[in-house]
Amino acid sequence: MRVLLVGSGGREHAMAAAIARSPLLDALFIAPGNPGTAALGTNCAVKADDVAGLIALARRERIDLVVPGPEAPLVAGIADACKAAGIACAGPARAAAALEGSKTFTKEVCDAAGIPTARWARFDAAAPALDYVRRHGAPVVVKADGLAAGKGVVVAQSVAEAEQAITDMMTGGTLGQAGHSVVIEDCLVGDEVSLFAFCAGETAVLIGAAQDHKRIGDGDTGPNTGGMGAVSPPTGFDRAAQEAALDLLVRPMLREMARRGTPFTGIIFAGLMLTPSGPQLIEYNVRLGDPEAQALLIRLESDLLAALAAVAKGDLARTDIRFSSQSAISVVMAARGYPGTPVTGGVIRNIAEAEAVPGVRVFQAGTKLDAAGALVAAGGRVLAVCATADTLAQARDRAYAAIGKIDWPDGVYRHDIGQRALDAAG
């Protein structure tokens, strides 16, 4: 198969590494890719949200399967454009991608399907939203309705913090169009986990689960980010619990989407809160997570490309998903200043030395090569340093040992990724 993988982040680097191992692969193209993916296939200078450019590239390179990595091209209609061009695509149509493109849409689907989720209200103007939080009190969760690259959620512990989030999103323009409408939810309490499944119509096949660490600082402090690290599998959420969560929170959604005439085909990522009363849905995403994908895929033993091809065909009957029994961890190294304005341009050295640590793989995200050919930081989240081992404690030690070998003065990272899971395991 000739495959076009869309995206440029750490998730796409991890996906490219998994796809490159497949005996089904003839050629891999990544658009736009990054210096890490260049070692696995051919990078192509087409932006991930340039749907017309991606279709032209797919035609020119005689692509058999398009694999969208991030959410933006899916919400922009890449799967619809592929269908019109007669090219297979392992992702949902634009109408189904609204599960991630609109928080309001997801809540409406949950209500219609009887899926447990936090009580919510939508607002299209700041004044009634501010009035609501003043009457409701805190804590509350303020979410931008549209896509915000993982930065559109504020868990406000005080009314003042909620007011600031509403003002920033709705009148301050910090998130652009994405924040013109907001959803305000009750704050759920419990352990947050990420559940992944391949879906086709009303069928869901479990991929696995991971636990993300969203806040920038140690001890879950500071603002939310796109993700500062992940562990897989999560403690206290075994295979049986994952299947039960699929029955409760994913399969009813698939039936409701089919009933609406917008069936979902692709990868679903359900963010869950394991509350004292049972799992509740926080949000759906319509692709693999980042950095969860890195922690999941370095444990994958089966053929990712074969599974993605089955998703695109809408036939999951013989989908084979197998993982090693090892634990995995992904620790994100971000540029100083993230999730605000990151410091870019700093040279990154010793990636090879880091990968010499047993069980370690470094996936690149916000990187580029400068004029002299040196690897430099070019974004907010820049590297995902991942490790596997027989235990999570061993994997964590390996990942942080590898980070210690990387020479990048502008790099910042959390020092406690995985600690919550280790504490829960006793």
Side-chain angles (χ1 to χ4, degrees), residues 275-329:
T275 76
S277 60
Q280 294 201 44
L281 184 83
I282 299 171
E283 64 180 1
Y284 292 121
N285 296 296
V286 296
R287 35 70 187 182
L288 285 173
D290 186 345
E292 295 98 331
Q294 293 90 309
L296 273 169
L297 292 177
I298 57 172
R299 295 177 50 233
L300 184 68
E301 293 181 334
S302 53
D303 188 337
L304 178 62
L305 179 53
L308 291 168
V311 168
K313 291 178 183 176
D315 180 9
L316 300 178
R318 291 175 296 280
T319 302
D320 176 32
I321 304 294
R322 285 176 287 108
F323 291 92
S324 78
S325 59
Q326 289 190 314
S327 293
I329 188 169

Side-chain angles (χ1 to χ4, degrees), residues 254-268:
L254 294 177
R255 290 192 290 271
E256 173 62 17
M257 292 294 284
R259 186 193 68 80
R260 290 169 175 244
T262 54
F264 184 92
T265 296
I267 296 171
I268 200 70

Side-chain angles (χ1 to χ4, degrees), residues 63-85:
I63 295 299
D64 299 300
L65 177 66
V66 172
V67 180
E71 61 275 17
L74 290 165
V75 174
I78 182 68
D80 308 75
C82 284
K83 183 178 180 179

Side-chain angles (χ1 to χ4, degrees), residues 191-195 237 245 249 270-274 279-282:
D191 284 333
E192 187 173 345
V193 296
S194 303
L195 182 70
F237 191 56
L249 303 166
L272 317 180
M273 190 70 78
L274 305 180
Q280 294 201 44
L281 184 83
I282 299 171

Side-chain angles (χ1 to χ4, degrees), residues 190-207:
D191 284 333
E192 187 173 345
V193 296
S194 303
L195 182 70
F196 299 90
F198 291 122
C199 302
E202 297 187 26
T203 302
V205 174
L206 180 66
I207 298 174

Side-chain angles (χ1 to χ4, degrees), residues 392-411:
L392 178 57
Q394 291 170 339
R396 185 183 65 166
D397 289 347
R398 288 176 170 182
Y400 282 110
I403 286 173
K405 295 182 180 298
I406 294 173
D407 179 9
W408 177 34
D410 292 327

Side-chain angles (χ1 to χ4, degrees), residues 122-126 144-146 169-171 173 175-182:
R122 173 196 165 99
F123 299 93
D124 296 316
D145 184 66
M169 291 181 192
M170 303 194 77
T171 63
L175 299 175
Q177 183 68 33
H180 287 183
S181 298
V182 300

